[in-house]
Amino acid sequence: MKMIFRQCIPAYVICAPLYHISVSDKSKTKKILFLHSSTAMGGAEYSLQELLSGLGRFPAALHMVISPQEPLYRHIVRLPVQRHEWCLPYLKKPDTLIACIRALKTVCLNAIRVYRLVRKERIQTVHCNTFRTLPYCLFVKWFTRIRIVCHCRDNIRSARLGRFIRYMADDAIAVSAYIHRQLPRANSTFRTHIIPNGIRLSRFTPGDTSALLRRKYCLPEDVTLIGNIGRILPWKNLYDYLSVARRLLQDHPKLHFFIVGPATDEVYTSRLRKQIRVWGLTSFFTFTGQTDNMVPCLSGFAVLLHTAHEEPFGRVLMEAAASGVPVVAYASGGVSEIVEHGQTGYLVPDGQIEQMAGFTASLLHCPALRRSMGQKARERAIALFDKRDYVRNIYKLLTHD
């Protein structure tokens, strides 16, 4: 504890006379600082990459704090972003007093660095890509009047967290109406906005690439491919995916199931593999690991099964729609804002394994229905999830005086 105060109090004394000094710049080019912390490439990381690449076409000077060790680094290294290379640790809820003290020290030291960077570069807006990086804006909040924008991409599990977001941020961007309902009410100093994620639609074109996947993974030519895409984490609820697969294989033995995504939780991944072995389904499953290019995978699937509970939005659902692939998913969270039941896919109540398997079987039996739903999904993606609209709306928010 003494070490924390020895390092943080001098900085406070230095910064205190600058309290509420505005960072101003007469240049028309807005200076925006992006803060993000990650341990793997997921929806938040890919969405930030899309945002940064799109903002490069607008009159804005982009800065970002990022470590070369972060997975996102190699995706933005060629983008027009000035990188400040240090690591913002990924904050988790501490479970012991020692962990709490260490977390406090980490936050304070990095918050000082962020504050100094903001002053040096004359930053006008700070964008926190998730609420996990908001604590690093603590001194920026206290000692300046520059705008802090929090991009809320995850579920807000407690009222206390909601109050913290309202205190720290001037604006909060919700990726879905579902997340927006979890935010505190807007007031004169806190504004909320709904801006869905967007994707580069030209990357995703309908077409059957299942033959490529069969050759790559040495699968029989007569099997139909079904997939689940995303980081392997408990809340993605992949046990239900295994249960649906087991139910489908009773009547449709010529199926093969893919799990596409990094094993973020290795213990959970090993339990999934063990369950597959116990059920004797090893030959029916393929774990691909991290795949940067999802296009061949998506286009090769007859159906995408999405079994996550309370999905905040679901980037992969947009990508499936753009690829013309129907989705069968749980209706909780923001999924219903992407998948239109009976038109672009099917939505079922959480935990309804039999119902999910039944809808999937109906799509497998009717290729014409799959094509029709896929075409409607593509049209919906073009209308609602174009990257250009996503970037334009966020640019307007970040540069608004």
Side-chain angles (χ1 to χ4, degrees):
M1 185 65 74
K2 290 181 180 179
M3 183 180 297
I4 296 174
F5 285 104
R6 284 175 186 170
Q7 298 185 36
C8 296
I9 288 179
Y12 177 83
V13 172
I14 293 171
C15 295
L18 303 177
Y19 182 76
H20 276 184
I21 293 178
S22 299
V23 177
S24 61
D25 195 331
K26 295 181 180 180
S27 172
K28 293 183 179 180
T29 301
K30 297 291 184 178
K31 296 183 178 180
I32 307 168
L33 174 64
F34 291 85
L35 301 181
H36 183 67
S37 177
S38 65
T39 57
M41 286 298 295
E45 290 72 32
Y46 284 114
S47 294
L48 179 57
Q49 176 196 355
E50 292 276 17
L51 176 60
L52 292 172
S53 64
L55 287 175
R57 302 175 183 177
F58 290 87
L62 309 180
H63 297 255
M64 185 173 183
V65 175
I66 187 169
S67 166
Q69 282 70 47
E70 289 187 49
L72 180 62
Y73 185 89
R74 65 187 180 88
H75 292 269
I76 68 165
V77 70
R78 295 182 180 180
L79 298 181
V81 179
Q82 184 173 341
R83 300 182 304 279
H84 305 274
E85 298 184 354
W86 87 78
C87 177
L88 290 176
Y90 185 81
L91 295 176
K92 295 182 179 180
K93 185 176 180 180
D95 52 0
T96 64
L97 178 60
I98 297 298
C100 184
I101 294 173
R102 288 174 179 170
L104 178 61
K105 176 184 175 182
T106 297
V107 168
C108 290
L109 295 180
N110 283 280
I112 292 170
R113 295 187 72 177
V114 170
Y115 172 81
R116 288 173 176 171
L117 175 62
V118 164
R119 301 294 306 183
K120 178 183 177 181
E121 299 293 342
R122 302 188 70 79
I123 300 297
Q124 293 160 291
T125 303
V126 177
H127 174 278
C128 296
N129 196 48
T130 67
F131 52 67
R132 291 181 185 275
T133 52
L134 269 179
Y136 299 125
C137 297
L138 193 61
F139 293 134
V140 174
K141 175 70 175 179
W142 285 353
F143 304 138
T144 76
R145 289 179 177 170
I146 71 171
R147 292 176 66 212
I148 299 174
V149 178
C150 178
H151 215 134
C152 297
R153 302 183 183 276
D154 300 310
N155 285 294
I156 302 168
R157 297 295 185 184
S158 67
R160 183 179 298 176
L161 176 57
R163 290 192 296 269
F164 177 72
I165 293 172
R166 180 170 58 187
Y167 170 74
M168 287 293 298
D170 300 290
D171 295 86
I173 303 172
V175 294
S176 63
Y178 167 71
I179 294 296
H180 188 262
R181 289 191 292 270
Q182 299 178 25
L183 286 170
R185 290 184 179 180
N187 54 37
S188 58
T189 60
F190 178 70
R191 298 170 294 274
T192 60
H193 317 265
I194 303 175
I195 304 179
N197 292 328
I199 55 175
R200 183 154 56 91
L201 294 166
S202 58
R203 283 189 60 212
F204 302 91
T205 54
D208 187 0
T209 59
S210 58
L212 297 176
L213 290 178
R214 293 190 194 98
R215 285 197 296 270
K216 181 177 181 179
Y217 294 101
C218 302
L219 301 175
E221 294 184 0
D222 59 345
V223 297
T224 301
L225 309 182
I226 295 176
N228 179 288
I229 298 178
R231 290 187 294 169
I232 303 177
L233 293 166
W235 73 271
K236 292 291 186 178
N237 199 37
L238 289 171
Y239 276 104
D240 280 11
Y241 179 60
L242 304 188
S243 298
V244 173
R246 185 187 187 192
R247 177 66 184 84
L248 286 169
L249 286 168
Q250 294 176 4
D251 302 320
H252 305 81
K254 292 187 177 181
L255 296 177
H256 194 84
F257 297 85
F258 280 78
I259 297 178
V260 182
T264 307
D265 188 324
E266 294 184 1
V267 174
Y268 183 69
T269 304
S270 64
R271 290 174 179 171
L272 290 174
R273 291 181 179 273
K274 181 179 179 180
Q275 187 63 65
I276 291 172
R277 289 195 300 271
V278 168
W279 284 346
L281 304 178
T282 304
S283 62
F284 296 97
F285 276 88
T286 295
F287 287 76
T288 68
Q290 176 70 54
T291 302
D292 292 332
N293 186 8
M294 297 293 182
V295 177
C297 288
L298 279 169
S299 300
F301 297 151
V303 181
L304 182 77
L305 290 183
H306 193 74
T307 53
H309 288 313
E310 297 182 343
E311 177 73 66
F313 187 64
R315 179 182 176 84
V316 68
L317 302 178
M318 292 190 302
E319 295 174 340
S323 302
V325 177
V327 173
V328 181
Y330 285 147
S332 62
V335 174
S336 60
E337 299 174 42
I338 303 175
V339 181
E340 192 174 8
H341 181 69
Q343 299 296 316
T344 66
Y346 292 110
L347 300 175
V348 302
D350 285 6
Q352 295 297 319
I353 302 297
E354 287 292 332
Q355 194 172 348
M356 180 170 275
F359 279 130
T360 305
S362 66
L363 289 169
L364 295 175
H365 287 145
C366 187
L369 178 61
R370 293 204 306 268
R371 287 192 296 270
S372 174
M373 282 192 167
Q375 183 178 354
K376 292 177 182 177
R378 171 75 179 177
E379 293 170 356
R380 183 174 174 82
I382 292 172
L384 299 179
F385 308 121
D386 192 326
K387 170 187 170 179
R388 293 171 294 183
D389 297 330
Y390 164 65
V391 173
R392 188 184 306 111
N393 290 334
I394 292 183
Y395 174 77
K396 289 180 180 177
L397 176 59
L398 295 179
T399 58
H400 176 71
D401 293 326

